[in-house]
Amino acid sequence: IGGGPNNLYVLAAIADIKPVKVQAWYYNISDSQSNSKDGGSTYLLEASANVDVATVKAQYASAKGNQDNAKREKFFAMAATANV
């Protein structure tokens, strides 16, 4: 979505190929008509596998604002479940 003072860009790739599911998302918003450097970018990755009685899932996310000294924030999670 572009236009106006803010531009928003989203890109996604999603696959479900048994037994694996994968998602990748990229999100960016910028304030193109201002020197305030508002906005930022984020990407998210998720993968899961379901084999027999076990499921394993991993998630990763990273975000950073457009400010000069902005630090990249990161998140990681992993989970495993089993039906017994």
Side-chain angles (χ1 to χ4, degrees), residues 5 22 48 61 77-78:
V22 178
S48 64
M78 194 166 189

Side-chain angles (χ1 to χ4, degrees), residues 20-81:
V20 177
K21 293 181 182 181
V22 178
Q23 293 188 51
W25 293 82
Y26 175 77
Y27 163 86
N28 182 285
I29 188 167
S30 61
D31 187 348
S32 62
Q33 295 182 1
S34 165
N35 291 328
S36 66
K37 295 191 178 185
D38 290 336
S41 64
T42 301
Y43 58 88
L44 310 146
L45 306 170
E46 178 177 290
S48 64
N50 187 353
V51 181
D52 295 327
V53 297
T55 301
V56 177
K57 183 180 197 176
Q59 298 173 318
Y60 178 80
S62 179
K64 182 178 180 187
N66 285 341
Q67 298 80 7
D68 290 333
N69 60 351
K71 292 183 180 179
R72 182 158 290 279
E73 302 293 331
K74 298 176 184 175
F75 167 82
F76 178 75
M78 194 166 189
T81 59

